[in-house]
Amino acid sequence: MKLLDKYILSKFLKTYVFVVGLLVIVIMVIDFTEKNEKYIKNDVPADAIIQYYLAFAPWIANLISPITVFITTVLVTSGMAVKTEIVAILSGGVSFRRMLVPYLMGACMIAVLSFYVNGWLIPDSNKYRIGFEIEYLKKPFYFNERDIHLKIADDDYIYIQRYNNRTESAYRVTLEKIVDNELKAKLFAKKMTWDDSLSTWRFRDWELRNINKFGEVITRGEDLDSAVNISPSDFDTKYQLNATMNMGELEDYIALLKSRGSSEVGLYEIEKYIRYMLPFTAIILTLMGVSVSAEKSTRGGAGFKIALGFVIAFVFILLFVLVKAIAEAGSMHPILAIWIPNIVGLIAALVMYRFVPK
């Protein structure tokens, strides 16, 4: 790298760290102020709160990373423009395109780090953060769905009339084995309870029908232990469950939901697509930030450009929230919906770049 590259890259990364740190501190103070009453009401231990915010900080830092990259770019570039450094760089024979190189290098470094952190490290810390929120900040969860149908294996299906997550008990349960559209066996039980010691389900007051080419054989009993391919966690709260899974766990869970024909699979696919999309957002917003703030302004100066940067960042966030809601509603293919902000942002960035005086 040349001296100019080192100068811009160093300024870019230092400003990014400062902006992220400042915003994270502000957000954490606001969050603590909002939740302090609940902490007091629920007698939350101080060490648990400290550990919660140690997990909260990296999560929020990564969440705002693309926008902070944009704000950083505007701060650095507008500052250089005010000091006439950009004019000097261009007058010295360095093209505007060449001047973009250290910016894009910094953005790529942040993008790669963000993808790794968001895909593997933050999900682990989110397990504590979300567990803390469920235990201390949310109301007790009660599973209230009825008439549950699940595919639990290639040929096995289960029906549950209702489930009590407090006692880990299911009522009016039917387990069926269907091979080539033919019913081969059917187990009915008035109640099914989870046995923690054996990690199996125990059927109460059951009746089993085995069907073959000669007819069917019916057997009955009071108790029957069986390893059914579901667990109490399948009926637990799904509050931000996608945020607690690393990329491998997320892929496995999506495959599991698809095998069961679950309608929730789209929510977890959206989470996967977002994790792949966000790193590119940082690069696009960097290009946009340089383009919007590179020209020295005689009116408003750097303050106007910084304000304009915040407005563009707000519009981007609004668009992202909108298309995410559209994708979750199933009104548009999730890949297309999630990438709309990047597509719109890239077009806007290229238009801005086209009209920047070079």
Side-chain angles (χ1 to χ4, degrees):
M1 289 191 297
K2 295 184 178 180
L3 184 62
L4 176 62
D5 296 323
K6 294 180 180 179
Y7 173 72
I8 295 178
L9 182 60
S10 174
K11 185 185 287 280
F12 180 82
L13 294 178
K14 288 178 181 177
T15 305
Y16 171 77
V17 172
F18 173 77
V19 171
V20 170
L22 181 62
L23 288 179
V24 167
I25 291 172
V26 171
I27 292 171
M28 286 173 63
V29 170
I30 295 173
D31 186 82
F32 178 81
T33 303
E34 291 179 347
K35 295 175 179 175
N36 189 43
E37 186 176 342
K38 290 185 177 180
Y39 295 153
I40 297 173
K41 181 180 178 181
N42 296 325
D43 294 324
V44 184
D47 60 336
I49 296 175
I50 293 173
Q51 190 172 351
Y52 169 71
Y53 281 105
L54 289 176
F56 181 89
W59 170 72
I60 198 67
N62 189 72
L63 184 67
I64 63 175
S65 179
I67 301 305
T68 51
V69 169
F70 179 77
I71 295 172
T72 296
T73 307
V74 172
L75 287 172
V76 171
T77 310
S78 59
M80 292 175 62
V82 168
K83 296 177 183 178
T84 324
E85 291 179 330
I86 292 180
V87 173
I89 291 171
L90 298 179
S91 300
V94 178
S95 67
F96 188 82
R97 182 182 300 177
R98 176 64 182 82
M99 191 188 73
L100 278 174
V101 172
Y103 283 101
L104 296 179
M105 286 175 59
C108 288
M109 291 168 62
I110 293 171
V112 171
L113 179 63
S114 175
F115 177 72
Y116 174 73
V117 169
N118 194 34
W120 284 272
L121 298 185
I122 289 181
D124 288 335
S125 64
N126 277 345
K127 288 179 173 65
Y128 180 85
R129 178 182 67 84
I130 293 171
F132 178 94
E133 293 178 358
I134 292 172
E135 182 175 357
Y136 294 111
L137 304 178
K138 299 294 179 183
K139 295 180 180 179
F141 173 74
Y142 296 99
F143 188 89
N144 55 12
E145 294 183 29
R146 296 179 66 89
D147 298 324
I148 306 144
H149 297 264
L150 292 173
K151 182 180 180 181
I152 57 176
D154 290 340
D155 302 317
D156 297 334
Y157 302 82
I158 192 170
Y159 163 79
I160 298 172
Q161 186 183 72
R162 64 185 179 89
Y163 181 82
N164 187 327
N165 63 297
R166 295 297 171 182
T167 61
E168 296 183 340
S169 301
Y171 300 89
R172 308 288 296 181
V173 180
T174 301
L175 185 63
E176 297 178 327
K177 178 176 285 292
I178 300 176
V179 180
D180 296 330
N181 295 323
E182 290 186 10
L183 181 65
K184 297 297 183 181
K186 184 171 184 176
L187 174 68
F188 171 79
K190 292 183 178 179
K191 185 177 181 181
M192 181 178 75
T193 58
W194 178 253
D195 189 332
D196 277 323
S197 61
L198 300 176
S199 296
T200 58
W201 293 97
R202 175 164 294 175
F203 294 95
R204 309 278 189 180
D205 297 326
W206 56 273
E207 177 183 285
L208 175 63
R209 295 172 55 204
N210 282 306
I211 303 171
N212 52 50
K213 60 183 180 180
F214 302 108
E216 62 181 52
V217 178
I218 300 177
T219 54
R220 297 181 178 88
E222 294 184 0
D223 294 321
L224 175 67
D225 291 335
S226 179
V228 181
N229 190 26
I230 56 174
S231 70
S233 62
D234 292 315
F235 305 98
D236 205 350
T237 176
K238 298 299 187 292
Y239 172 70
Q240 292 194 27
L241 178 62
N242 52 356
T244 66
M245 298 179 181
N246 61 39
M247 294 300 290
E249 293 169 340
L250 190 60
E251 291 283 4
D252 291 342
Y253 194 68
I254 289 172
L256 175 63
L257 292 179
K258 286 182 177 179
S259 69
R260 293 180 175 179
S262 174
S263 60
E264 296 180 345
V265 65
L267 298 176
Y268 296 90
E269 287 184 326
I270 290 170
E271 173 68 20
K272 181 180 72 172
Y273 299 145
I274 289 174
R275 293 185 188 184
Y276 283 107
M277 178 271 289
L278 284 178
F280 293 95
T281 303
I283 299 172
I284 294 170
L285 290 180
T286 297
L287 175 61
M288 186 185 298
V290 176
S291 301
V292 80
S293 55
E295 184 181 5
K296 183 175 181 180
S297 176
T298 57
R299 303 176 106 187
F304 171 76
K305 294 175 181 178
I306 293 171
L308 178 61
F310 274 100
V311 170
I312 294 174
F314 174 77
V315 171
F316 183 87
I317 292 173
L318 191 64
L319 180 60
F320 176 75
V321 172
L322 177 63
V323 298
K324 184 180 179 183
I326 292 174
E328 290 176 348
S331 303
M332 185 183 298
H333 194 283
I335 294 181
L336 176 60
I338 293 302
W339 276 88
I340 282 178
N342 273 2
I343 295 172
V344 173
L346 179 60
I347 294 173
L350 292 175
V351 171
M352 292 178 184
Y353 173 79
R354 171 68 178 79
F355 290 100
V356 173
K358 304 179 180 63

